[in-house]
């Protein structure tokens, strides 16, 4: 006999209970927690850790506040553990949204969408009986089309644009981390500064305080150059598009740092033309307003988001995810911890979510190791 478990509210799962009663199947409803990992423990406890076999798991996913990847991974893992068939109830379905795409990536293709009570019961029974396993379904085909288009963009892109929701939020750090990630996979990449952010510098011979760009600051204390590029920490740094053009170097990828979106010199036109656009923001209370305002604007709906200074177990993560989910859009969302040195690569899993590229080299990726960089003082810059 089939043993059906519905994870969600009794009101939402009424049609599942009706089907179970009509078919004389065992039925259990389990209240969903806002965090899916806590729900998993309730399911395993009901299953008696193997003593009460569950054949079908039906998840109402609209109430979870975790990331799409975490929800999909937990559902797939629970289904494998119980050898059960996962079916997703998603009344607020959008084919390009993050959660449907994350579920599809885990090869979960059994869905119940919107409709009347009769429609919902019909979809459920066809999922249970394997009808949709061998017959095409319009909604799933739409999801697969979005997935294919997304992968095609990833396979063919060359320019990656970084912009911050505000100043000093980690935009430059993450742009350089992106270059290090691409290098780790065997690709050539460079950093190009396309903002007017200034840093104090005291290295001039006159001893006066100067305002210089990030690349100029690196150049003031490091000897190695390759034409107009400053090479620091193994990264080719260009202080402008003109410097890159002058170099006539060809890279697999070009990583652009546009600075903060609300800066007067922010080049929105250039940023939105980049193949991949990444917003770097903050998820803390004092940073919500800038993040919320920007992600709601049309040019930034498709941007991926990195939330800085939010290591694991940070209490603000759930609130930030809820904010971004409510804003809509099909966007990968990742969290970055503290990265004191941008030239030492720190989080391969995070960047693999943002840019799921295959290695250019044949060897397996080894765990990223801290890289020692040579720091050589040079003579004072001549007047």
């Amino acid at each position: 006999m089939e043993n059906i478990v519905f994870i969600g509210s009794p009101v939402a799962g009424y049609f599942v209970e009706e089907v179970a009663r009509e078919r004389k199947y065992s039925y259990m409803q389990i209240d969903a927690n806002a965090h899916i990992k806590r729900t998993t423990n309730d399911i395993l406890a009901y299953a008696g850790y193997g003593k009460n076999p569950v054949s079908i798991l039906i998840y109402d996913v609209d109430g979870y506040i975790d990331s799409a990847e975490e929800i999909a991974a937990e559902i797939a893992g629970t289904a494998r553990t119980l050898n059960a068939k996962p079916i997703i109830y998603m009344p607020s379905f959008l084919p390009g949204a993050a959660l449907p795409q994350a579920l599809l990536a885990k090869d979960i293709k059994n869905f119940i969408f919107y409709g009347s009570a009769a429609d919902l019961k019909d979809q459920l029974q066809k999922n249970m009986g394997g009808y949709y396993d061998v017959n095409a379904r319009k909604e799933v085909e739409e999801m697969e089309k979005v997935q294919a288009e997304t992968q095609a963009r990833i396979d063919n892109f060359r320019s990656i644009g970084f912009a911050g929701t505000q100043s000093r939020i980690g935009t430059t750090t993450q742009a350089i981390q992106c270059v290090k990630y691409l290098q780790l996979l065997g690709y050539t990449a460079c950093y190009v500064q396309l903002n007017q952010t200034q840093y104090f510098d005291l290295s001039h011979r006159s001893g006066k305080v100067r305002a210089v760009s990030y690349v100029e600051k690196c150049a003031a204390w490091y000897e190695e150059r390759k034409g107009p590029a400053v090479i620091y920490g193994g990264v080719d740094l260009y202080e402008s598009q003109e410097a890159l053009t002058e170099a006539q170097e060809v890279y697999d990828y070009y990583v652009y740092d546009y600075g903060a979106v609300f800066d007067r010199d922010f080049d929105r036109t250039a940023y939105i033309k980049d193949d991949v656009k990444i917003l770097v923001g903050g998820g803390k209370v004092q940073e919500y307003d800038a993040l919320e305002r920007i992600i709601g604007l049309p040019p930034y709906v498709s941007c991926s988001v990195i939330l800085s200074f939010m290591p694991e177990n940070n209490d603000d993560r759930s609130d930030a995810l809820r904010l971004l989910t409510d804003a809509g859009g099909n966007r990968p969302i990742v969290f970055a911890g503290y990265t004191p040195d941008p030239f030492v690569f720190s989080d391969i899993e995070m960047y693999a979510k943002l840019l799921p590229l295959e290695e250019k080299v044949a060897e397996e990726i080894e765990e990223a190791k801290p890289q020692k960089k040579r720091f050589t003082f040079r003579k004072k810059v001549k007047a």
Side-chain angles (χ1 to χ4, degrees):
M1 179 185 292
E2 300 284 5
N3 189 356
I4 303 174
V5 175
F6 178 79
I7 302 97
S9 72
V11 174
Y14 74 94
F15 67 96
V16 181
E17 186 174 8
E18 287 183 9
V19 169
R21 186 170 57 251
E22 292 168 4
R23 299 293 180 182
K24 294 182 170 52
Y25 296 154
S26 296
Y27 174 76
M28 171 57 70
Q29 177 267 328
I30 295 176
D31 289 329
N33 190 287
H35 296 286
I36 193 166
K37 287 187 176 180
R38 298 175 187 172
T39 301
T40 298
N41 293 333
D42 293 337
I43 297 170
L44 296 176
Y46 167 73
Y49 304 99
K51 296 178 182 179
N52 186 26
V54 174
S55 52
I56 296 173
L57 290 168
I58 303 169
Y59 284 85
D60 179 357
V61 296
D62 276 3
Y64 295 118
I65 62 174
D66 302 303
S67 69
E69 291 79 11
E70 185 175 354
I71 295 169
E74 198 70 15
I75 291 174
T78 305
R80 283 196 306 270
T81 301
L82 300 178
N83 195 26
K85 184 173 193 174
I87 300 175
I88 309 302
Y89 177 41
M90 187 179 289
S92 58
F93 168 74
L94 290 172
L99 183 53
Q101 288 298 310
L103 291 163
L104 189 62
K106 293 293 183 181
D107 202 32
I108 297 174
K109 299 182 180 181
N110 293 104
F111 291 86
I112 300 169
F113 300 117
Y114 32 77
S116 65
D119 290 333
L120 297 177
K121 291 168 66 175
D122 180 68
Q123 292 177 60
L124 171 58
Q125 292 178 87
K126 281 186 168 64
N127 277 300
M128 291 168 55
Y131 179 86
Y132 293 131
D133 295 340
V134 294
N135 292 280
R137 194 171 186 190
K138 181 186 70 174
E139 291 88 353
V140 175
E141 288 181 336
E142 290 174 353
M143 292 163 57
E144 291 174 335
K145 180 181 178 182
V146 171
Q147 185 185 58
E149 291 173 349
T150 301
Q151 190 59 48
R153 287 196 298 271
I154 290 172
D155 291 341
N156 295 297
F157 77 87
R158 296 192 68 196
S159 64
I160 307 169
F162 280 79
T165 58
Q166 59 196 85
S167 300
R168 311 300 183 188
I169 202 67
T171 308
T172 298
T173 293
Q174 292 305 327
I176 293 170
Q177 286 279 287
C178 182
V179 174
K180 302 299 284 186
Y181 168 70
L182 294 167
Q183 291 175 337
L184 186 64
L185 296 185
Y187 298 98
T188 58
C190 66
Y191 167 90
V192 185
Q193 182 174 356
L194 294 183
N195 62 74
Q196 301 301 315
T197 303
Q198 299 289 295
Y199 297 81
F200 288 128
D201 179 63
L202 295 171
S203 67
H204 197 269
R205 186 174 182 179
S206 66
K208 292 182 178 179
V209 177
R210 301 187 304 158
V212 299
S213 69
Y214 182 81
V215 175
E216 288 174 320
K217 182 73 173 178
C218 293
W221 296 101
Y222 205 62
E223 292 279 3
E224 193 171 354
R225 281 183 173 272
K226 184 172 64 177
V230 175
I231 304 177
Y232 185 72
V235 176
D236 290 5
L237 307 169
Y238 294 92
E239 62 181 340
S240 64
Q241 182 65 50
E242 290 73 21
L244 177 63
T245 302
E246 179 188 344
Q248 296 185 338
E249 287 282 338
V250 177
Y251 298 89
D252 294 322
Y253 297 102
Y254 301 85
V255 179
Y256 295 98
D257 178 0
Y258 290 89
V261 171
F262 293 124
D263 285 350
R264 286 185 299 175
D265 58 355
F266 178 72
D267 191 344
R268 187 181 70 174
T269 302
Y271 176 66
I272 62 178
K273 287 182 180 179
D274 282 325
D275 298 324
V276 174
K277 295 171 282 294
I278 298 175
L279 276 173
V280 182
K284 297 183 179 63
V285 173
Q286 67 270 26
E287 298 158 344
Y288 278 157
D289 52 350
L291 177 62
E292 184 176 24
R293 180 176 176 186
I294 292 170
I295 62 176
L297 298 174
Y300 309 105
V301 169
S302 63
C303 293
S304 302
V305 175
I306 298 176
L307 295 177
S308 294
F309 319 125
M310 300 190 74
E312 288 191 29
N313 302 319
N314 186 296
D315 294 337
D316 292 323
R317 280 193 174 194
S318 296
D319 291 334
L321 276 174
R322 188 183 301 110
L323 170 67
L324 290 167
T325 302
D326 291 344
N330 176 26
R331 64 174 96 243
I333 304 165
V334 297
F335 297 94
Y338 297 100
T339 310
D341 189 340
F343 292 92
V344 177
F345 187 60
S346 62
D347 196 338
I348 191 168
E349 290 185 5
M350 185 190 84
Y351 270 96
K353 291 179 181 178
L354 288 176
L355 304 171
L357 295 165
E358 294 185 358
E359 293 177 79
K360 189 175 182 180
V361 293
E363 293 82 3
E364 293 293 329
I365 297 178
E366 296 181 359
E367 185 176 352
K369 300 177 181 178
Q371 304 161 19
K372 295 180 180 179
K373 63 176 184 292
R374 180 168 53 87
F375 187 84
T376 306
F377 284 100
R378 56 177 293 184
K379 294 179 180 178
K380 297 286 187 181
V381 180
K382 294 182 180 179

